[in-house]
Amino acid sequence: MTGPVPAGAVPAALGANWTGTGVEFALFSAHAEAVELCLFDEDAPAERARVPLERTGDTWHARLEGVGPGQLYGYRVHGPYEPLAGHRFNPNKLLLDPHARLLSGAIRWDDATYGFLPDAEEADLSFSESDSAPFMPRCVVVDPAFDWRGDAPPRRPWSETLIYEAHVRGLTRLHPGIPPELRGTYEALGHPAIVAHLQRLGVTAIELLPIHAFADDRFLVQRGLTNYWGYSSLGFFAPEARYLGPAGLPGLKEAVRVLHRAGIEVILDVVYNHTAELEETGPTLSFRGIDNAVYYKPAPGDPRRTFNCTGCGNSLDLSRPAVVRHVLDSLRLWVEEYHVDGFRFDLASTLARNPYDFDPECPFFAQLAADPVLGRVKLIAEPWDIGEGGYRLGGFPPGWGEWNDLFRDPVRRFWRGEEGQVPGLVRAIAGSREIFEPSGRGPCASVNYVASHDGYTLADLVAYERRHNWANGEENRDGHGHNHSWNCGVEGPTDDPAVRALRARQKRNLLATAMLAQGVPMLLMGDELSRSQGGNNNAYCQDNPTAWLDWERGAEEDPALPDFVAYLADIRRSHAALRRTGFLYGIPDPGTGLKDVHWLKPDGGEIAAGEWQDEHRRALGMVLGSDAPDGRMLFALLNSGDAAIRFAVPGLGAAGWAPLLDTGIPTGRPDAPERTCQAGGTFIVEPRSVILFRGIKQTG
């Protein structure tokens, strides 16, 4: 290193940016009084040099020649330590660059990582003089260059999207076809075995649980656990280093390139609502020591406290322009440097609190929509947080999709056999018009799922009625208590063939409902292979076989299920009636007299307005597709009861109906697909079944 040179103009980008001959360092802090850049040698507990940064406006910066990729660094930031005013500067604490592109090492939890003395009577009003550098990770200067070899994003329309929610390690750690040195890494995502499996299922987008750099919380480390899910962000620009394979950062980029070549988009689950620094009595790792009063939203009227609408101790303050800029810069980096195709925002309601109430016209939404890079990627909201007014399903702007728990819960309740669930089921499978139409969106705003990482897997949804989370070390108090699950008569594993057969049928019913509904279907990793977590519905800290996908066991448990899922995807892909961009209204066409959807009773008549509230109704028929551009009509029958029901076969523009799907059959493929049900006849629907027919056109 030849040393610092006059900084000159403020660098165009924050962070550590390699110029080819040196590195430009830039850090934002509005309230700091001085900033020192700390340079480290590998494995050294203390820095070998401190470089004072110049200030221009609120940007602190320096240019160092002779420094290049691989250089380890961090910051010490000087300023007032006045918790009552929201300021928590402490230069004894080594701080991570919020724009760091890579972190090296993990936090070694020690009281020195706190800006105050944890055991002091005055708590966070005290001041710690202990140096945290020996216990902190280091930031790493990286070379972002990569040969993308003509990579192009698939840019799948929402109406053609099938999402597969997965965990980098959980998906690949136990796959026998992946070389051991690649299992659990980014590189494994692009392995031919993974790509072929996703293609077989008809997946068009893989949604990865957080891969931003994250921390293993201190309380988890003390229990011998880790933050497996990754919802404890340390840095929004750095890929989590524990998933790096032999190729390093280029391995992640290569995996994205390979997935794109296979027609599969990559969506990241991102956590911009809070960070690993927790509440005001949490550690000082990065944002808190750089400018606590800017980055974190204070409790109303009390700058000492953090506003906590996330349940994780703090909330980033996206009502402030600097924080909005930080998040947009992060998103843009992932699109431009890693070619990702979209984002699922964890606790997205927090991002729109302006300053404390949800504001659909908040600065973040406005700037995101106007951004020329980010305006063209997929955006998905988890449309709630735990604060007052935080449940905002349907409240996000045009262009956004939303996780729809009002799809998940009615579908689960219908198939577990609860009474009075038909109205909710119909609203769900019709695309939740009453939720999304007011914002000017169509059914593709609804991301439809029956299982996600947060809760039971599909296999556990039909095998457990009580959570079994003892391994998490929280006395089984964590996780959802209301799962709308049904164990089919036995809690947990059983050898009873009748129970096992019923569970297999119920899995097919739930999957079929999600795939045949209007909206965007989402599958949970391993549901196609009957992945079980032993009844743990909150496996956030289980980085072990509890949460990993056991490929061999899954194939033995229900061997036909992957083919069933693939067949469902093929049906959806080949029938435009299942991929509408506009809502169903049930209004007759003046020319044909047919409606875009008919909701039918077993006697063949349409369900009248006064009949929807029949608490005992557990079956219905649905005919749709009279207006489908491909001319393909479909007739679906759903029976969640425990008795067979005879249904009258309608005409409604079809001469007859040929069986297309039967959830009573392991593969879903009817035994006699050539057998036609004539209009005016009847058809017996077995208990707990979905039957789907394709229309046969009238002639003459």
Side-chain angles (χ1 to χ4, degrees):
M1 183 186 76
T2 60
V5 299
V10 179
L14 296 172
N17 296 285
W18 188 46
T19 66
T21 60
V23 178
E24 291 181 336
F25 294 90
L27 182 76
F28 165 86
S29 180
H31 297 102
E33 296 172 350
V35 176
E36 295 175 302
L37 169 68
C38 301
L39 302 178
F40 290 84
D41 293 327
E42 190 171 356
D43 297 327
E47 57 266 44
R48 62 174 169 79
R50 292 191 187 186
V51 180
L53 270 58
E54 298 182 22
R55 180 171 190 170
T56 303
D58 291 336
T59 301
W60 300 79
H61 53 101
R63 180 160 57 92
L64 272 63
E65 291 297 322
V67 171
Q71 175 63 57
L72 305 179
Y73 73 99
Y75 289 108
R76 296 184 187 273
V77 181
H78 301 255
Y81 188 81
E82 299 173 358
L84 295 177
H87 299 306
R88 296 180 177 273
F89 295 99
N90 187 334
N92 299 301
K93 308 306 164 185
L94 183 72
L95 304 176
L96 300 175
D97 179 1
H99 282 74
R101 307 291 184 86
L102 182 64
L103 300 183
S104 175
I107 300 169
R108 294 193 300 117
W109 288 111
D110 186 89
D111 285 352
T113 59
Y114 294 78
F116 60 97
L117 302 171
D119 295 330
E121 183 176 347
E122 58 267 50
D124 63 302
L125 297 180
S126 64
F127 184 79
S128 169
E129 297 183 356
S130 299
D131 184 6
S132 69
F135 309 100
M136 287 291 292
R138 313 294 192 231
C139 305
V140 185
V141 176
V142 303
D143 178 2
F146 181 75
D147 182 4
W148 283 96
R149 289 180 279 172
D151 176 65
R155 297 197 191 284
R156 296 271 190 177
W158 278 110
S159 60
E160 297 177 9
T161 298
L162 170 57
I163 298 171
Y164 187 87
E165 189 193 27
H167 187 284
V168 172
R169 191 195 300 278
L171 178 64
T172 65
R173 181 65 179 79
L174 298 178
H175 197 296
I178 297 176
E181 67 273 15
L182 298 184
R183 295 175 192 171
T185 72
Y186 298 120
E187 291 171 59
L189 295 173
H191 189 275
I194 297 297
V195 175
H197 181 73
L198 297 177
Q199 289 181 310
R200 175 191 179 190
L201 297 177
V203 168
T204 69
I206 184 168
E207 181 178 304
L208 299 175
L209 267 68
I211 65 168
H212 286 169
F214 60 87
D216 292 321
D217 308 85
R218 190 173 191 176
F219 73 92
L220 289 176
V221 173
Q222 290 170 343
R223 296 176 191 165
L225 300 170
T226 62
N227 193 322
Y228 171 65
W229 284 353
Y231 291 94
S232 190
S233 298
L234 270 179
F236 301 133
F237 291 69
E240 172 53 46
R242 72 188 73 188
Y243 304 143
L244 292 175
L249 289 178
L252 172 56
K253 296 178 179 181
E254 178 63 17
V256 173
R257 193 189 71 81
V258 170
L259 288 164
H260 281 179
R261 191 173 59 193
I264 299 170
E265 295 181 308
V266 178
I267 297 172
L268 301 186
D269 190 336
V270 288
V271 189
Y272 295 111
N273 58 81
H274 74 279
T275 77
E277 291 183 304
L278 308 177
E279 61 280 342
E280 61 275 1
T281 55
T284 295
L285 309 172
S286 181
F287 301 94
R288 175 162 288 139
I290 292 170
D291 206 330
N292 181 78
V294 170
Y295 280 110
Y296 293 124
K297 195 183 294 289
D302 187 358
R304 176 185 178 184
R305 311 293 182 190
T306 54
F307 179 69
N308 179 18
C309 61
T310 64
C312 300
N314 62 56
S315 305
L316 283 180
D317 193 352
L318 272 80
S319 66
R320 293 184 175 273
V323 184
V324 172
R325 175 191 173 186
H326 183 79
V327 173
L328 292 175
D329 284 351
S330 168
L331 293 169
R332 205 176 295 112
L333 173 133
W334 287 97
V335 174
E336 293 180 328
E337 289 199 12
Y338 288 92
H339 288 203
V340 304
D341 306 281
F343 304 93
R344 179 267 190 189
F345 294 86
D346 180 63
L347 300 182
S349 295
T350 300
L351 310 181
R353 290 185 177 269
N354 185 31
Y356 294 101
D357 296 327
F358 182 90
D359 178 7
E361 298 180 353
C362 67
F364 175 61
F365 286 171
Q367 293 187 43
L368 189 58
D371 190 282
V373 172
L374 302 175
R376 63 175 185 260
V377 303
K378 287 185 167 68
L379 305 173
I380 302 171
E382 182 183 37
W384 48 77
D385 62 26
I386 71 164
E388 183 177 356
Y391 184 80
R392 309 302 300 195
L393 178 65
F396 285 75
W400 284 68
E402 299 181 35
W403 274 28
N404 188 354
D405 63 327
L406 291 185
F407 177 92
R408 177 196 65 195
D409 293 350
V411 170
R412 288 183 177 188
R413 297 178 71 180
F414 175 79
W415 284 114
R416 77 195 293 251
E418 289 187 35
E419 294 185 339
Q421 297 305 310
V422 168
L425 175 74
V426 166
R427 287 191 291 268
I429 63 179
S432 300
R433 176 165 62 94
E434 70 289 346
I435 296 173
F436 297 109
E437 189 176 51
S439 62
R441 291 178 289 170
C444 290
S446 179
V447 176
N448 300 331
Y449 63 103
V450 293
S452 70
H453 74 274
D454 190 4
Y456 283 137
T457 66
L458 179 68
D460 288 352
L461 190 62
V462 300
Y464 294 91
E465 294 184 6
R466 302 184 304 276
R467 61 193 176 199
H468 296 260
N469 299 353
W470 296 100
N472 295 352
E474 300 179 41
E475 298 182 344
N476 206 34
R477 294 192 302 265
D478 61 303
H480 297 297
H482 302 283
N483 298 281
H484 308 299
S485 60
W486 180 45
N487 62 20
C488 297
V490 178
E491 185 75 0
T494 180
D495 293 327
D496 187 320
V499 173
R500 291 169 64 89
L502 177 56
R503 288 176 177 177
R505 183 188 290 249
Q506 286 288 86
K507 285 184 291 184
R508 295 192 290 270
N509 290 333
L510 289 159
L511 288 168
T513 308
M515 294 284 272
L516 301 180
Q518 303 300 322
V520 178
M522 183 181 80
L523 302 173
L524 172 62
M525 173 192 86
D527 278 354
E528 75 282 4
L529 290 169
S530 298
R531 181 174 70 90
S532 172
Q533 294 178 166
N536 190 323
N537 72 352
N538 189 34
Y540 77 102
C541 55
Q542 299 298 321
D543 189 2
N544 53 54
T546 296
W548 299 341
L549 174 54
D550 185 338
W551 292 80
E552 294 177 332
R553 177 190 175 279
E556 297 169 357
E557 181 71 19
D558 194 345
L561 194 55
D563 287 334
F564 177 81
V565 173
Y567 184 50
L568 282 175
D570 182 65
I571 291 173
R572 183 177 181 85
R573 186 168 50 247
S574 58
H575 289 83
L578 300 174
R579 297 180 285 101
R580 298 176 61 94
T581 57
F583 285 111
L584 299 165
Y585 289 96
I587 300 173
D589 180 270
T592 65
L594 297 174
K595 301 177 181 180
D596 53 18
V597 63
H598 298 262
W599 304 107
L600 305 177
K601 299 177 292 186
D603 64 8
E606 293 201 60
I607 301 175
E611 297 177 313
W612 284 104
Q613 301 308 316
D614 181 353
E615 291 289 317
H616 302 296
R617 189 182 305 282
R618 294 188 180 180
L620 79 156
M622 175 182 70
V623 173
L624 74 163
S626 64
D627 61 343
D630 58 6
R632 293 186 165 192
M633 294 183 66
L634 294 169
F635 170 36
L637 295 170
L638 298 86
N639 177 16
S640 68
D642 53 12
I645 295 181
R646 184 179 296 274
F647 263 86
V649 178
L652 298 177
W657 304 90
L660 187 62
L661 173 77
D662 184 348
T663 61
I665 299 172
T667 64
R669 298 177 183 271
D671 294 329
E674 73 285 350
R675 187 182 66 192
T676 300
C677 295
Q678 299 299 320
T682 60
F683 185 89
I684 296 177
V685 183
E686 296 299 321
R688 304 191 185 278
S689 295
V690 177
I691 308 294
L692 183 69
F693 301 87
R694 60 177 179 83
I696 298 173
K697 295 182 179 180
Q698 295 176 335
T699 58

